[in-house]
Amino acid sequence: MTRYCIAPERRKLLVRIGAAGLHTWLTLPAALAASNPSDPATPTEITVERSERDGYPVFDIHAGITVAAPPQRVWQVLTDYDRLAEFVPNLISSRLISRHGNECVVVQEGYGRFLFVKQKIDLLLQAQEVPQTSIALTLLRGNMHEYRAEWRLNRVEANATQLIYTGAIAPAFYVPALFGTALIKSDLRNMIAAVAREMEKTAP
């Protein structure tokens, strides 16, 4: 039988890897899904906080990014509701069904992935627009206990816009307590990055 001699330093390294293995496995899906930190479209700030309200979990979210595009282009992308599914990850369809001035109704179909489960998400949303300033989204119907979100635009300079996304979501379906926050944070990061990349393209 062949015997292998492992140096003490190597043994210590193997022990450290073994102890870290479970943590790596738990966090790997979110890490792989996160945007490349060197990508200019990577959000500069993201927070997701979980709390219990009215007997169900609520996730409060906040994300911010500075986009290399003027506010007019940023606004054009955000309010082109029928095209959102072309570049937003996990969004299957998005359709503007009515508009009265700055008030719109949008129907969206998408999905979320929670470990090995793919969950369909259906939303009927009211969008209240303040041109080139903000869009407030509220839930009219869908498989959420709560859903509200807001996009806010702040002009930084002629070709740069600070984009802030805040909101609160409370899914009416099961979200794993252990992984939910990390997975939602990963989805949020990917969504904001995809929207920013679309805004930074040359307008058609």
Side-chain angles (χ1 to χ4, degrees):
M1 177 182 296
T2 304
R3 299 194 175 191
Y4 298 93
C5 178
I6 302 176
E9 294 79 5
R10 178 62 174 165
R11 286 198 205 99
K12 291 179 182 178
L13 177 61
L14 291 174
V15 169
R16 284 196 293 269
I17 291 173
L22 178 60
H23 175 74
T24 301
W25 181 82
L26 294 177
T27 59
L28 186 58
L32 289 175
S35 300
N36 184 342
S38 64
D39 185 345
T42 297
T44 55
E45 50 178 305
I46 282 194
T47 59
V48 177
E49 297 182 352
R50 184 185 187 276
S51 61
E52 292 283 336
R53 295 204 290 267
D54 299 323
Y56 49 77
V58 179
F59 297 89
D60 292 296
I61 59 180
H62 179 279
I65 189 171
T66 298
V67 182
Q72 297 90 335
R73 171 61 178 167
V74 171
W75 185 257
Q76 177 190 35
V77 171
L78 289 178
T79 57
D80 193 356
Y81 302 107
D82 290 341
R83 285 195 60 249
L84 293 178
E86 295 179 17
F87 55 87
V88 174
N90 298 348
L91 186 61
I92 299 170
S93 66
S94 177
R95 185 166 55 91
L96 175 68
I97 61 175
S98 71
R99 175 182 281 280
H100 300 284
N102 292 324
E103 189 173 290
C104 310
V105 176
V106 180
V107 61
Q108 294 185 339
E109 179 184 344
Y111 64 89
R113 289 190 181 276
F114 303 100
L115 295 181
F116 306 109
V117 178
K118 183 176 179 180
Q119 172 65 50
K120 185 180 178 183
I121 300 172
D122 293 306
L123 301 173
L124 183 66
L125 302 171
Q126 183 178 70
Q128 184 67 49
E129 303 173 352
V130 178
Q132 296 188 35
T133 301
S134 66
I135 303 171
L137 301 166
T138 53
L139 181 69
L140 297 176
R141 188 173 65 246
N143 55 345
M144 295 274 181
H145 294 298
E146 296 179 26
Y147 181 97
R148 62 183 182 276
E150 182 181 40
W151 292 98
R152 183 162 291 276
L153 290 66
N154 297 309
R155 179 182 175 133
V156 177
E157 53 188 44
N159 288 304
T161 305
Q162 181 190 44
L163 187 60
I164 303 294
Y165 181 78
T166 58
I169 61 172
F173 47 83
Y174 174 69
V175 176
L178 184 59
F179 307 105
T181 299
L183 293 172
I184 289 173
K185 187 173 184 177
S186 175
D187 281 349
L188 178 60
R189 184 187 307 277
N190 291 337
M191 184 268 284
I192 296 292
V195 170
R197 282 191 293 270
E198 182 67 19
M199 291 169 176
E200 291 174 350
K201 291 180 181 178
T202 303

